[in-house]
Amino acid sequence: MIIDTHIHLNDRKYQDILEEVIKEALENDVERMIVVGYDRSSSIKAVKMASSSDFIYAAVGLHPSDVIKEEDFDLNWLKNLLREPKVIAIGEIGLDYYWNKNNRDLQITYFKKQLEIARNANLPIIIHSRDAAMDTYEILKEHSLPGVLHCFPYSLEMAREFIKLGFYLGIGGVLTFKNSRVLKEVVKEIDIKHLLSETDGPYLTPEPYRGKINRPAYLKYIIDEISEIKKIDSETVLTVLYQNARNLFRI
Ligand code: NI
């Protein structure tokens, strides 16, 4: 059994193929999916999807690329969504200095705000971080919450530091790309008990489907790649990653 710990079934790209994608996921052993929000409307949509499906859970949050358009400085919409029973994490939240160089202070403000919300709600966090390793690390070090660095984009050295803080590393389609030398090294060296499987669909589709819309059914290619890199049989990889996801998200 596999848990897709990060997918945006709330994205428009899935609109017309949603039923087929979920059915195909179940046929391919993906028994639970965490639909992740990135702003108000995508978070509300994630919650709606979760409440109408046994297989779907929701994460709610404001992504660093979306802070610029946020109108509710207190994030009351986010706090209100936490009453919903199938909300199991705050995310995705974090810092992105790759796409957004000019609003770092605002990103940090909303990031810290949401870490406080997660602490008060006693929920794990799903972190998006790009070109912002040190700021992310320093802020997370101050807050000490359970969570995952989704689509882990940094060095082995940073992986070790985040793991010391108790974080999991989200591993997705990038692992199957030819040029993913650094991530392959991370997966090779880091104990499997710190890894989670994710698609980040509709993005980051693994080989051999790179370029198409990503689907949870493709998680098997990531499991196989982890198995090959770590020289651990894929059944063991499946079992450990499944348990890791259940431990973190309490599902
Ligand atoms: Ni995402």
Side-chain angles (χ1 to χ4, degrees):
M1 286 182 291
I2 311 175
I3 297 178
D4 188 348
T5 61
H6 193 116
I7 184 157
H8 304 288
L9 292 177
N10 44 0
D11 189 289
R12 235 174 246 275
K13 290 200 177 78
Y14 288 114
Q15 206 165 294
D16 299 325
I17 53 170
L18 190 61
E19 267 180 50
E20 175 200 327
V21 167
I22 293 173
K23 182 168 168 273
E24 188 195 51
L26 296 171
E27 285 165 1
N28 281 274
D29 220 17
V30 182
E31 64 144 25
R32 293 172 204 197
M33 292 157 260
I34 300 175
V35 173
V36 182
Y38 39 89
D39 62 2
R40 180 180 176 150
S41 67
S42 62
S43 295
I44 290 171
K45 207 168 164 191
V47 169
K48 278 194 181 138
M49 293 180 117
S51 64
S52 62
S53 164
D54 290 342
F55 317 107
I56 294 175
Y57 295 81
V60 294
L62 180 66
H63 188 287
S65 297
D66 292 288
V67 298
I68 198 81
K69 63 175 195 200
E70 181 56 52
E71 289 166 354
D72 177 358
F73 192 67
D74 295 323
L75 297 176
N76 286 313
W77 61 265
L78 178 58
K79 293 172 194 159
N80 289 338
L81 285 176
L82 303 183
R83 297 193 197 113
E84 302 290 334
K86 285 183 88 189
V87 171
I88 49 139
I90 301 290
E92 49 188 296
I93 62 175
L95 302 173
D96 192 322
Y97 298 166
Y98 179 82
W99 290 110
N100 319 280
K101 292 178 180 58
N102 304 322
N103 62 355
R104 293 182 180 197
D105 289 346
L106 189 64
Q107 289 187 46
I108 289 171
T109 301
Y110 275 115
F111 186 25
K112 289 183 172 173
K113 239 179 224 287
Q114 292 180 96
L115 292 173
E116 277 316 309
I117 293 173
R119 177 192 310 287
N120 291 333
N122 192 23
L123 285 173
I125 48 179
I126 297 174
I127 304 295
H128 170 103
S129 178
R130 192 160 177 202
D131 279 7
M134 282 323 291
D135 281 4
T136 304
Y137 176 77
E138 292 300 334
I139 291 169
L140 291 177
K141 198 175 166 188
E142 284 166 22
H143 284 78
S144 150
L145 284 158
V148 55
L149 270 291
H150 133 71
C151 191
F152 186 76
Y154 299 129
S155 65
L156 176 59
E157 190 189 4
M158 282 312 301
R160 292 199 167 113
E161 294 305 317
F162 281 112
I163 277 166
K164 276 188 218 155
L165 298 184
F167 280 90
Y168 288 91
L169 312 179
I171 308 297
V174 174
L175 188 65
T176 67
F177 299 171
K178 274 203 187 70
N179 57 358
S180 67
R181 189 185 55 80
V182 176
L183 184 62
K184 287 187 170 100
E185 189 190 10
V186 168
V187 167
K188 186 168 178 230
E189 299 298 330
I190 297 294
D191 194 300
I192 190 171
K193 70 182 182 203
H194 304 293
L195 306 182
L196 291 181
S197 52
E198 63 169 52
T199 56
D200 201 22
Y203 315 107
L204 299 175
T205 311
E207 296 289 0
Y209 296 106
R210 194 172 177 180
K212 302 224 166 71
I213 293 179
N214 203 351
R215 293 160 177 252
Y218 299 161
L219 279 171
K220 60 187 171 199
Y221 299 105
I222 292 149
I223 302 287
D224 286 349
E225 190 73 29
I226 295 174
S227 160
E228 201 174 308
I229 291 170
K230 298 192 80 64
K231 314 231 177 300
I232 299 174
D233 65 282
S234 50
E235 275 310 306
T236 306
V237 173
L238 276 178
T239 310
V240 177
L241 296 191
Y242 180 74
Q243 202 51 55
N244 291 347
R246 292 197 61 189
N247 291 346
L248 176 60
F249 295 111
R250 293 173 282 182
I251 52 176

